[in-house]
Amino acid sequence: MKIEKKIPTSQPYLKGNELKYVSSCVKNNWISSQGEFISQFENKFAKYCGCKYGVAVSNGTVALHLALVALGLGRGDEVIVPDLTFVATINAVIYTGATPVLVDVDYKTWNINAELLQGAITKRTKVIIPVHLYGLPCKMDEIMKMAKQHHLFVIEDCAEAHGAKYKGKMVGSFSDISCFSFFGNKIMTTGEGGMCLTNNEDLYKKMHILRDHGKTPGKQYLHEVVGFNYRMTNMQAAVGLAQLEKIDRFLKERDKIAKVYERFLSKNPQIFFQAPRPGVRNVTWLFTILVPKSHRNKLIDFLSKKNIDARPMFIPLHQMPPYTKYISPASKFNDSNKLSEEGLSLPTFIGLKANDIKRVADVINEYFNKI
Ligand SMILES: *Cc1c(COP(=O)(O)O)cnc(C)c1O
């Protein structure tokens, strides 16, 4: 039997100015966290997202932590997070000593269920963290309205949704602070990296200080708060800047990948997709489908035997040992449980050819024809 070449779930595309910009860091000795690329990347990425200020950091997880600390979160406060997300969202809350409160997602959009969110607000609630999961924006108008009514902060977790729009406005521009990840498998990457965006000058200044050991600006070795070393290096920012130059093309090509998958798979009555809503410009992070739960793991194995790398959807947070203590007795997680048993992500990256997508779809259709 002929073994065809392996198709990974994800890989970065670095064929623009990445090498040129990184080489200039090396040639000029600016390889640490000072240098021209940092502020250029911060300014250009903030502008791209329709925000005033950007603070580049070492990864998306610390972006969330920095945002929470800047908003003054700590013990006794509650933070609402969706049950279905990558663990970084809840871990950042736990680092601050605050208590995460898990809310189920909606089966159609895979995003936090706005009605249940309303019911989870208590006197202790300080922050809501909506996550634009798999590139589909949350209902930001409802969430922001709720936050205003109850005097809550909102932090958007945009790690999977660079460039997405909700009702004509970029995700990341709705909330007090928004957090992005530039990990290697995200829509644009700096290897490891992240950024906090805000329109609030005070929060910007706070995050700037906290990112750099709490150092008072303009004074050497004077630290008036306990800060962190969450800085991004100039080399990472150099890669980020080169990636940002290509973001429109990235988004278009990822949309095209999704369309081709849909064309090949939509005739299959066993397969379902994330349901975009009117007025929303979703982006394709990892193209993810739902199949009957009895087939999900078998299908991943079948794909793997044909040298195609597919991933199961996230495991709901409430199911994992470190987080079971945050489940309130009344909460139910029907939708996140179902999605997590049915979802799988298919190879999605720039450079994936229509032929490769056809090969993946053929294997999936072959699986369902056999059973
Ligand atoms: C990737 C991701 C993060 C964390 O980003 P890192 O850069 O890996 O720390 C946070 N939230 C979500 C939803 C993510 O997908």
Side-chain angles (χ1 to χ4, degrees):
M1 194 184 78
K2 185 176 153 254
I3 303 280
E4 294 195 74
K5 85 172 194 302
K6 187 178 170 81
I7 305 181
T9 310
S10 175
Q11 66 185 29
Y13 180 90
L14 303 165
K15 291 179 187 150
N17 284 322
E18 286 82 356
L19 188 59
K20 183 177 154 203
Y21 295 167
V22 172
S23 301
S24 98
C25 300
V26 174
K27 276 186 202 135
N28 299 322
N29 273 343
W30 292 102
I31 60 166
S32 195
S33 55
Q34 288 176 22
E36 58 177 348
F37 290 118
I38 304 271
S39 55
Q40 273 187 47
F41 182 43
E42 287 174 333
N43 293 339
K44 288 198 172 151
F45 189 73
K47 194 167 169 208
Y48 172 72
C49 297
C51 293
K52 271 195 189 152
Y53 307 105
V55 180
V57 293
S58 355
N59 57 64
T61 308
V62 305
L64 289 161
H65 184 226
L66 190 69
L68 287 159
V69 176
L71 292 172
L73 263 281
R75 214 161 294 283
D77 299 328
E78 289 179 358
V79 179
I80 298 177
V81 298
D83 185 43
L84 192 69
T85 178
F86 181 60
V87 288
T89 317
I90 190 169
N91 284 346
V93 175
I94 295 169
Y95 302 158
T96 68
T99 305
V101 173
L102 295 170
V103 167
D104 198 7
V105 294
D106 169 53
Y107 185 72
K108 283 206 190 89
T109 64
W110 315 353
N111 281 329
I112 194 159
N113 181 320
E115 260 167 64
L116 296 177
L117 197 168
Q118 175 91 51
I121 296 172
T122 73
K123 274 195 218 108
R124 293 172 164 228
T125 310
K126 287 277 162 60
V127 179
I128 306 168
I129 310 185
V131 181
H132 307 301
L133 206 69
Y134 294 100
L136 184 66
C138 297
K139 292 181 176 167
M140 288 315 294
D141 47 2
E142 280 181 46
I143 292 170
M144 294 314 294
K145 202 169 128 199
M146 240 180 265
K148 209 167 176 191
Q149 265 169 11
H150 297 271
H151 308 288
L152 308 176
F153 295 115
V154 178
I155 297 173
E156 282 166 272
D157 183 338
C158 305
E160 303 177 4
H162 314 64
K165 278 184 185 168
Y166 179 78
K167 300 195 173 168
K169 229 177 121 182
M170 297 293 277
V171 304
S173 66
F174 289 86
S175 50
D176 299 280
I177 301 173
S178 58
C179 299
F180 288 81
S181 164
F182 306 117
F183 181 62
N185 72 0
K186 301 293 157 98
I187 288 172
M188 54 173 279
T189 185
T190 58
E192 295 279 356
M195 201 181 296
C196 296
L197 301 182
T198 185
N199 287 319
N200 181 309
E201 192 180 355
D202 283 344
L203 288 175
Y204 167 68
K205 284 182 179 158
K206 262 189 199 155
M207 289 193 287
H208 221 270
I209 291 167
L210 287 165
R211 170 182 70 176
D212 192 12
H213 296 290
K215 188 172 92 63
T216 304
K219 299 256 166 75
Q220 288 300 340
Y221 300 114
L222 179 64
H223 302 260
E224 292 171 284
V225 289
V226 177
F228 315 96
N229 179 354
Y230 283 172
R231 296 177 306 237
M232 176 183 270
T233 67
N234 199 41
M235 292 195 289
Q236 289 168 298
V239 174
L241 201 62
Q243 292 268 295
L244 187 57
E245 292 170 352
K246 302 189 292 276
I247 183 105
D248 291 332
R249 196 190 124 201
F250 283 179
L251 294 175
K252 262 193 212 133
E253 292 202 13
R254 283 174 172 272
D255 276 353
K256 218 158 63 187
I257 290 170
K259 287 232 169 62
V260 178
Y261 270 127
E262 279 168 9
R263 180 150 54 84
F264 286 127
L265 296 174
S266 57
K267 281 187 214 90
N268 189 327
Q270 311 251 45
I271 296 175
F272 295 90
F273 308 113
Q274 192 179 24
R277 291 183 310 273
V280 164
R281 190 251 193 264
N282 63 307
V283 292
T284 304
W285 173 49
L286 293 179
F287 185 78
T288 300
I289 59 174
L290 305 180
V291 299
K293 71 173 181 188
S294 56
H295 294 300
R296 201 273 307 271
N297 290 345
K298 286 186 218 154
L299 178 56
I300 291 177
D301 289 345
F302 192 71
L303 284 159
S304 162
K305 287 204 187 87
K306 308 266 179 173
N307 236 357
I308 295 164
D309 203 8
R311 295 269 165 85
M313 200 182 263
F314 299 120
I315 299 171
L317 296 173
H318 79 272
Q319 291 184 12
M320 293 190 276
Y323 314 115
T324 49
K325 58 173 174 280
Y326 303 114
I327 308 172
S328 73
S331 47
K332 288 207 172 63
F333 301 105
N334 298 335
D335 289 12
S336 65
N337 283 334
K338 259 179 84 182
L339 286 166
S340 137
E341 289 169 341
E342 297 176 357
L344 71 150
S345 301
L346 303 176
T348 315
F349 53 87
I350 306 301
L352 187 70
K353 298 282 185 298
N355 272 346
D356 299 324
I357 302 172
K358 184 169 184 303
R359 190 179 128 203
V360 177
D362 283 348
V363 171
I364 294 171
N365 289 328
E366 182 190 340
Y367 172 88
F368 282 107
N369 287 337
K370 275 219 292 229
I371 55 162

